[in-house]
């Protein structure tokens, strides 16, 4: 037990975390306008439609920005420093936050990365590592 | 109020000290103050008190026609000035007391975890171990990448803030000596690209401003500050949701303030730019139109923003060297802007400061307010 935060499953994110448990990175797709978006919006952010399904992302993306965390914000992260937090722009255009499991000295903007899923308790969270 | 470590004082003790301080400076009475704006205090201790105004109305024995507790982080105080002005213009109040106090626990004392959980998405950000410096770092890294700003460039902002703090006896770093770019980069790493000296100093403190009619302002002060322009913009309230990291809401709030004041960046003599971290004044200089994209680093390196420079920035030492007083951080930015316009900035007064720009933002650069203050209406 690392003590790292585990996402709480909510009506808004349930489909997403059912996907990660099945090895899928799901993106919301608006059935009215086609917009792709993260599971943080109760309505389509473009048109406020409430009818959407999902697409499965390729899981490939690029690092749009990053930081290397040297100071653990709390005890659960003490063993991980230095660790990378990145904003990853997926091929589908949606951007998300994750850690990148790599040598923190080598992280760079535009680096291609692939998704993987880390299990915390009974939840799988998307993470990335350098593509290859 | 001088920022410091007031471990034996709670937020309301600070409010009481602040009011006493205001009364000694201005000849104000409970009958005269008919408006009150304030903000929650003590968020870094996990206290979000939504009814501060009620407690202060009771304690201070006010009978305001206009009062509210506002919560927009560092932007609260820019917003307060605007809301107070509207009330004065509408005749709903003659004199609005705007008061903020803040306690800021050290990150190592538990505030890092609490603030991360307050400010970040619970299910899609918090699991990755961010905290405030790391979230700002994501904005800074992208800005540096797109605008060719170097690590040394952002460190230079902290060097400038320290120079100013040495002129301000109230600053936490007063008397602590100059620092160099090398010192900043050699200090303890926190969240790349930020080291310890790139981060503001957690402090306790607060401040007060009085927003009033021009005639009352002239009774209380030989040289009041006039509000000439105001702009506000609320960008996406999470880092993951903010699609463009380089262009913050300062682009919109700045343009609105300049248009309202009928001024341009060239008309501004001095600027106070909220600097939770060393990179943010560079981002704001570019977003507000003072520097073309990619030139803010060279601008700071030239010494333009230092004491004696042609465009002084954060003349009181900024949050970086004066101190970041938690919930009331934005108040210090505003107070220094007002003092420069009023000619009350002591050893650091900019001679002939006609127009002063004050930019405050809240959250991780989510809520933005730009104020232009001046010596003349
Ligand atoms: Zn839609």
């Amino acid at each position: 037990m690392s003590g790292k935060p585990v996402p709480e499953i909510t009506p808004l994110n349930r489909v997403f975390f059912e996907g990660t448990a099945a090895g899928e990175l799901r993106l919301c797709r608006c059935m009215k306008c086609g917009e792709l978006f993260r599971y943080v919006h109760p309505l389509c952010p473009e048109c406020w439609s409430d009818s959407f399904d999902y697409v499965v992302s390729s899981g490939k993306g690029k690092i749009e920005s990053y930081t290397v965390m040297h100071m653990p914000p709390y005890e659960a992260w003490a063993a991980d420093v230095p660790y990378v937090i990145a904003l990853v722009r997926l091929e589908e255009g949606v951007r998300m936050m994750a850690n990148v499991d790599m040598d923190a000295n080598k992280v760079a903007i535009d680096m291609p990365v692939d998704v993987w899923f880390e299990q915390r308790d009974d939840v799988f969270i998307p993470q990335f590592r350098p593509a290859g | 109020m001088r920022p410091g470590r007031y471990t034996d004082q709670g937020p309301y003790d600070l409010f009481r000290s602040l009011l006493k301080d205001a009364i000694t400076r201005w000849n104000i009475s409970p009958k005269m103050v008919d408006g009150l704006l304030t903000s929650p205090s003590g968020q870094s201790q996990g206290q979000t008190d939504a009814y501060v105004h009620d407690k202060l109305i009771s304690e201070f024995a006010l009978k305001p026609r206009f009062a509210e507790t506002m919560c927009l982080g560092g932007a609260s105080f820019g917003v307060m000035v605007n809301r107070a002005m509207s009330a004065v213009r509408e005749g709903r109040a003659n004199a609005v007391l705007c008061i903020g106090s803040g306690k800021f626990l050290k990150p190592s004392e538990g505030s890092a975890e609490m603030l991360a959980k307050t400010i970040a998405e619970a299910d899609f950000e918090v699991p990755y171990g961010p905290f405030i410096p790391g979230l700002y770092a994501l904005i800074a890294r992208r800005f540096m990448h797109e605008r060719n700003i170097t690590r040394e460039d952002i460190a230079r902002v902290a060097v400038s803030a320290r120079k100013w703090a040495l002129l301000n006896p109230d600053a936490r770093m007063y008397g602590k000596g100059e620092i160099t770019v090398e010192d900043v980069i050699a200090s303890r790493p926190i969240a790349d690209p930020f080291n310890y000296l790139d981060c503001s100093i957690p402090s306790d403190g607060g401040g007060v401003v009085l927003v009033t009619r021009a005639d009352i302002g002239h009774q209380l002060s030989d040289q009041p500050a006039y509000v000439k322009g105001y702009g506000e913009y609320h960008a996406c309230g999470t880092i993951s949701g903010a699609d463009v990291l380089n262009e913050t809401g300062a682009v919109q709030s700045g343009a609105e303030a300049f248009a309202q004041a009928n001024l341009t960046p060239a008309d501004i003599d001095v600027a106070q730019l909220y600097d939770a971290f060393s990179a943010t004044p560079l981002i704001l200089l570019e977003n507000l139109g003072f520097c073309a994209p990619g030139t803010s680093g060279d601008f700071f390196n030239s010494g333009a923003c230092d004491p004696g420079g042609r465009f002084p920035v954060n003349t009181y030492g900024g949050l970086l060297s004066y101190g970041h007083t938690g919930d009331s951080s934005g108040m210090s930015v505003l107070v220094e802007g007002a003092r420069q316009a009023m000619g009350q900035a002591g050893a650091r007064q900019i001679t002939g400061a006609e127009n002063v720009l004050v930019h405050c933002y809240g959250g991780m650069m989510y809520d933005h307010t730009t104020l232009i203050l001046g010596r003349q209406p």
Side-chain angles (χ1 to χ4, degrees):
Chain A
M1 177 67 196
S2 68
K4 288 180 185 171
V6 180
E8 185 188 338
I9 306 304
T10 66
L12 199 56
N13 68 27
R14 181 177 307 281
V15 173
F16 180 81
F17 286 109
E18 286 171 357
T20 58
E24 290 181 356
L25 183 63
R26 295 177 180 171
L27 302 173
C28 266
R29 177 174 56 189
C30 175
M31 292 171 76
K32 193 169 161 203
C33 78
E35 178 77 1
L36 295 177
F37 53 97
R38 297 185 305 135
Y39 279 82
V40 296
H41 303 287
L43 300 168
C44 168
E46 276 297 308
C47 73
W48 275 3
S49 160
D50 64 356
S51 65
F52 30 84
D53 58 359
Y54 65 83
V55 296
V56 177
S57 163
S58 69
K60 294 183 180 304
K62 281 184 177 176
I63 292 179
E64 186 161 308
S65 193
Y66 69 87
T67 182
V68 179
M69 298 284 287
H70 293 277
M71 178 186 159
Y74 40 96
E75 186 53 33
W77 298 92
D80 288 52
V81 291
Y83 60 94
V84 176
I85 300 175
L87 292 171
V88 172
R89 181 75 67 175
L90 296 168
E91 280 183 341
E92 293 81 5
V94 174
R95 201 187 61 189
M96 60 183 287
M97 186 180 288
N99 301 123
V100 184
D101 186 16
M102 64 178 297
D103 176 354
N105 292 316
K106 298 197 171 136
V107 63
I109 287 177
D110 290 339
M111 175 181 274
V113 290
D114 292 337
V115 78
W116 65 282
F117 299 96
E118 175 193 337
Q119 186 172 6
R120 282 192 200 161
D121 295 348
D122 52 357
V123 177
F124 289 79
I125 65 165
Q127 294 282 26
F128 288 84
R129 56 169 68 109
Chain B
M1 172 175 203
R2 195 174 176 178
R5 276 301 182 200
Y6 304 114
T7 47
D8 55 339
Q9 294 189 46
Y12 285 92
D13 296 311
L14 298 177
F15 278 125
R16 289 168 204 135
S17 304
L18 286 162
L19 182 68
K20 283 183 186 164
D21 188 38
I23 293 167
T24 60
R25 281 169 194 272
W26 310 316
N27 183 23
I28 53 173
S29 65
K31 288 190 177 56
M32 180 194 159
V33 173
D34 57 0
L36 174 71
L37 293 175
T38 186
S39 61
S41 185
Q43 286 191 79
S44 81
Q45 297 171 303
Q47 304 162 356
T48 299
D49 185 348
Y51 300 99
V52 179
H53 66 280
D54 284 326
K55 289 184 185 158
L56 294 185
I57 286 168
S58 169
E59 281 204 9
F60 297 169
L62 296 170
K63 295 184 176 61
R65 290 187 289 151
F66 173 77
E68 192 175 336
T69 300
M70 317 182 97
C71 191
L72 299 99
S76 300
F77 308 96
V79 173
M80 275 183 199
V81 171
N82 170 262
R83 304 300 188 264
M85 270 185 71
S86 301
V88 170
R89 283 210 175 116
E90 289 169 19
R92 287 190 291 134
N94 293 318
V96 182
L97 191 73
C98 302
I99 184 166
S101 85
K103 304 275 294 177
F104 199 154
L105 284 191
K106 283 185 185 168
S108 56
E109 291 169 343
S111 71
E113 179 171 9
M114 197 164 44
L115 289 172
K117 288 178 176 170
T118 305
I119 211 93
E121 292 176 5
D123 38 5
F124 296 117
E125 293 183 341
V126 170
Y128 303 108
F131 77 136
I132 288 175
L135 293 168
Y136 273 95
L138 293 167
I139 303 174
R141 264 287 159 211
R142 186 69 201 177
F143 177 74
M144 292 164 74
H145 175 78
E146 285 196 23
R147 306 275 172 105
N148 289 316
I149 299 293
T150 67
R151 175 69 188 89
E152 288 75 15
D153 291 340
I154 65 171
R156 183 62 178 76
V157 176
V159 171
S160 178
R162 180 64 67 87
K163 287 177 193 286
W164 284 111
L166 300 181
L167 300 175
N168 181 4
D170 287 344
R172 295 287 307 272
M173 291 296 118
Y174 180 72
K176 304 281 186 189
E178 297 225 11
I179 53 173
T180 64
V181 166
E182 293 72 30
D183 292 336
V184 177
I185 295 173
S187 63
R188 182 161 59 91
I190 304 290
D192 172 282
F194 299 136
N195 294 56
Y196 181 70
L197 290 173
D198 292 287
C199 305
S200 48
I201 309 166
S203 307
D204 305 331
V208 190
V209 297
L210 188 74
V211 177
T212 187
R213 295 188 335 229
D215 58 321
I216 298 173
H218 279 282
Q219 286 165 25
L220 296 174
S221 169
D222 294 339
Q223 174 60 66
Y226 285 89
V227 179
K228 299 174 84 163
Y230 175 77
E232 175 180 329
Y233 192 79
H234 303 272
C236 184
T238 62
I239 289 285
S240 296
D243 205 48
V244 183
L245 296 171
N246 279 337
E247 301 278 320
T248 71
V251 174
Q252 290 90 345
S253 69
E256 190 182 342
F258 281 119
Q260 200 181 93
N262 198 21
L263 295 171
T264 70
D267 298 313
I268 303 298
D269 303 299
V270 49
Q272 313 299 338
L273 308 173
Y274 193 100
D275 57 339
F277 293 90
S278 54
T280 57
L282 300 179
I283 296 169
L284 294 173
L285 281 173
E286 296 191 9
N287 286 181
L288 292 166
F290 292 110
C291 293
T295 65
S296 58
D298 290 344
F299 192 60
F300 251 95
N301 280 318
S302 75
C305 307
D306 295 346
R310 66 192 160 88
F311 189 71
V313 170
N314 293 347
T315 47
Y316 68 115
L319 309 187
L320 289 170
S321 265
Y322 169 87
H324 183 310
T325 58
D327 306 82
S328 67
S329 54
M331 188 58 101
S332 68
V333 186
L334 170 64
V335 165
E336 177 68 5
R339 284 191 175 147
Q340 287 289 350
M342 295 166 78
Q344 293 182 1
R348 58 189 193 277
Q349 178 64 44
I350 307 306
T351 320
E354 199 60 44
N355 295 311
V356 181
L357 182 136
V358 175
H359 189 88
C360 294
Y361 63 80
M364 305 295 100
M365 307 192 86
Y366 306 151
D367 303 293
H368 289 261
T369 64
T370 308
L371 271 166
I372 297 174
L373 307 177
R375 292 170 67 82
Q376 304 297 326

